């Protein structure tokens, strides 16, 4: 029995489940301690350490789901793409030619990222309270942004220009990434992940037309390759409020939304069969305790009383957030949504 897994299927739950994007990370003193001893890449490639970072927030808080400690770029690194984290991902040779696209190998998870699969098994064996584990990957278009641009950016100009200048090459790269991420997520599920999430962190860069042409078919290809697993699939569309009519067509169970997209209006567009995840502004964790409750009440009211709401932030938690504010948030969501 898991409130999180039931809510993913838009089934009624005893209370509204909550987990927090980027919950395993730098706002936690115990993570910073671990990180002061080992660099980020080593953390992601050492199963015991990745499992430890995944479990840290689950021990400290009454979270309803865990998310594997890893990065969206980790499988690409496993495929042989040279990259570093500083702190965001920097790709040594950005992909800008057909020759580079054709040279990309397929991802064979057991060969290329065995440490991720081992971390999944370790988390499953040690998760407190039987908390379910979410496996994840970057959605193809978001990975495309990093691969073509080569580094984090506000505009990802090189990546967006590539879509227009080389539309067919773009589609080939997106298809390759879609297949690689399907293989990657399938392997995580087979190792024990109980839900799968695709992060489309850069959805908001695209107009509806380009989203439909490039991002949507690629992520649908990934999702189609996973449906037979029978576990919930979550698609997080950051800054995607203008895209929801297209997102509604995607065969996923849950749509994650950022804090700018009103939950009630988004649910109307998505329909009752999809659950929704979100969307407290990460900045709201800096409010005084009483004001934080007011902000949480507003998110819950907007989500409405129909089943299928997973409480979360609208994007990743900020590194300077007070862990005690997180504890207050989780307790309050549980307390005020408990249904007799
Ligand atoms: O707790 C969790 O959510 C699990 C771990 C996780 C990380 N990255 C660890 C990480 C997850 C789910 C991600 C996903 C990720 N990575 C996304 C999608 C989610 C989102 O925020 O939109 C994106 C776009 C990336 C790419 C990335 N990796 C960036 C931009 C950065 C640097 C800035 C930042 O947000 O931290 C990273 C590095 C990274 N990934 C760190 C962590 C804990 C910081 C590394 C460090 O400890 O120095």
């Amino acid at each position: 029995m898991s409130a999180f897994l039931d809510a993913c299927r838009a089934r009624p739950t005893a209370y509204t489940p909550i987990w927090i994007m980027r919950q395993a990370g730098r706002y936690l003193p115990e993570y910073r301690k671990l990180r002061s001893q080992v660099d980020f890449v080593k953390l992601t490639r050492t199963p015991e350490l990745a499992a430890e970072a995944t479990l840290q927030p689950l021990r400290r808080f009454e979270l309803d789901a865990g998310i594997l400690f890893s990065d969206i770029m980790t499988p690409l690194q496993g495929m042989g793409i040279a990259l570093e984290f500083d702190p965001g991902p920097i790709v040594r040779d950005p992909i800008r030619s057909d020759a580079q696209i054709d040279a990309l190998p397929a991802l064979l998870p057991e060969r290329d990222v065995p440490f991720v699969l081992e971390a999944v098994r370790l988390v499953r064996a040690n998760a407190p309270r039987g908390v379910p584990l979410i496996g994840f990957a970057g959605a193809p278009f978001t990975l495309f942004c990093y691969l073509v641009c080569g580094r984090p950016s506000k505009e990802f100009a090189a990546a967006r220009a590539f879509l227009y200048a080389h539309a067919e090459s773009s589609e080939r790269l997106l298809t390759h990434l879609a297949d690689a991420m399907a293989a990657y997520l399938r392997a995580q599920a087979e190792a024990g992940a109980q839900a799968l999430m695709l992060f489309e962190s850069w959805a908001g860069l695209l107009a509806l037309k380009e989203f439909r042409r490039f991002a949507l078919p690629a992520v649908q290809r990934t999702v189609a390759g996973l449906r037979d697993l029978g576990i919930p699939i979550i698609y997080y569309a950051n800054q995607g409020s203008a895209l929801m009519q297209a997102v509604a067509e995607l065969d996923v169970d849950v749509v994650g939304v950022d804090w700018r997209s009103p939950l009630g209006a988004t649910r109307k567009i998505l329909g009752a069969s999809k659950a929704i995840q979100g969307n407290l502004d990460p900045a709201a964790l800096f409010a005084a305790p009483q004001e934080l409750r007011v902000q949480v009440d507003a998110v819950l009211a907007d989500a409405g009383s129909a089943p299928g709401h997973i409480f979360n932030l609208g994007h990743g938690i900020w590194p300077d957030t007070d862990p005690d504010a997180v504890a207050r948030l989780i307790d309050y969501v549980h307390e005020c949504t408990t249904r007799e």
Side-chain angles (χ1 to χ4, degrees):
M1 288 317 293
S2 152
F4 167 73
L5 292 173
D6 283 341
C8 284
R9 303 194 182 286
R11 291 184 189 139
T13 54
Y15 55 88
T16 299
I18 174 171
W19 69 278
I20 290 174
M21 284 196 277
R22 311 301 287 270
Q23 67 191 21
R26 289 171 296 175
Y27 72 106
L28 286 180
E30 54 271 38
Y31 173 77
R32 286 201 295 267
K33 185 157 171 251
L34 190 62
R35 182 66 178 75
S36 71
Q37 295 151 4
V38 203
D39 73 46
F40 177 67
V41 172
K42 180 131 193 249
L43 265 188
T44 60
R45 297 177 80 96
T46 312
E48 294 72 23
L49 299 180
E52 171 60 21
T54 304
L55 293 169
Q56 283 176 345
L58 306 181
R59 294 195 198 106
R60 189 188 261 262
F61 307 118
E62 294 281 316
L63 289 157
D64 295 295
I67 183 155
L68 184 69
F69 184 84
S70 189
D71 195 81
I72 58 168
M73 302 303 282
T74 302
L76 302 181
Q77 217 171 18
M79 282 161 71
I81 293 170
L83 59 95
E84 287 162 35
F85 290 87
D86 185 26
I90 318 270
V91 178
R92 192 195 296 154
D93 301 312
I95 296 188
R96 310 247 172 110
S97 72
D98 285 328
Q100 283 170 296
I101 295 170
D102 294 336
L104 282 175
L107 177 72
L108 295 176
E110 288 75 12
R111 180 192 68 191
D112 300 333
V113 284
F115 44 87
V116 172
L117 309 180
E118 186 54 24
V120 169
R121 289 183 202 105
L122 286 173
V123 172
R124 278 304 307 278
N126 295 289
R129 309 180 304 280
V131 175
L133 176 67
I134 304 168
F136 76 89
F141 174 69
T142 291
L143 297 176
F144 173 98
C145 285
Y146 285 107
L147 285 177
V148 175
C149 216
R151 53 181 58 245
S153 145
K154 269 209 180 85
E155 292 277 350
F156 285 95
R160 291 207 305 122
F162 197 81
L163 291 179
Y164 286 91
H166 306 285
E168 278 161 29
S169 303
S170 296
E171 284 167 339
R172 280 200 304 122
L173 177 52
L174 287 162
T175 300
H176 190 91
L177 293 169
D179 292 342
M181 292 310 114
Y184 183 53
L185 289 169
R186 171 173 291 278
Q188 291 183 55
E190 285 167 353
Q194 293 140 294
L196 298 171
M197 176 151 167
L198 283 148
F199 283 94
E200 195 77 277
S201 302
W202 302 112
L205 292 175
L206 297 177
L208 185 58
K209 191 155 116 330
E210 281 64 42
F211 181 78
R212 275 192 190 285
R213 168 150 189 204
F214 296 107
L216 191 68
V219 71
Q220 179 56 42
R221 186 178 171 101
T222 303
V223 169
L226 299 167
R227 287 279 52 164
D228 66 299
L229 292 167
I231 66 173
I233 301 178
I234 308 169
Y235 180 63
Y236 169 69
N238 186 33
Q239 299 202 41
S241 47
L243 309 170
M244 286 302 163
Q245 59 196 100
V247 172
E249 295 162 19
L250 199 56
D251 185 17
V252 295
D253 304 279
V254 185
V255 173
V257 299
D258 70 275
W259 70 93
R260 305 163 195 85
S261 312
L263 289 184
T266 306
R267 291 194 95 170
K268 280 206 188 86
I269 302 170
L270 294 175
S273 64
K274 281 191 175 57
I276 199 151
Q277 178 172 279
N279 73 340
L280 185 73
D281 187 338
L285 285 166
F286 293 78
Q290 193 48 43
E291 177 60 20
L292 177 60
R293 289 171 172 241
V294 171
Q295 298 297 329
V296 171
D297 289 342
V299 171
L300 291 169
D302 199 12
S305 55
H309 176 220
I310 299 152
F311 201 103
N312 205 315
L313 302 183
H315 202 176
I317 187 167
W318 294 355
D320 52 344
T321 307
D322 177 0
D324 291 341
V326 176
R328 284 194 291 271
L329 168 66
I330 294 166
D331 288 346
Y332 185 62
V333 168
H334 284 157
E335 188 186 298
C336 74
T337 61
T338 296
R339 295 169 267 271
E340 292 309 327

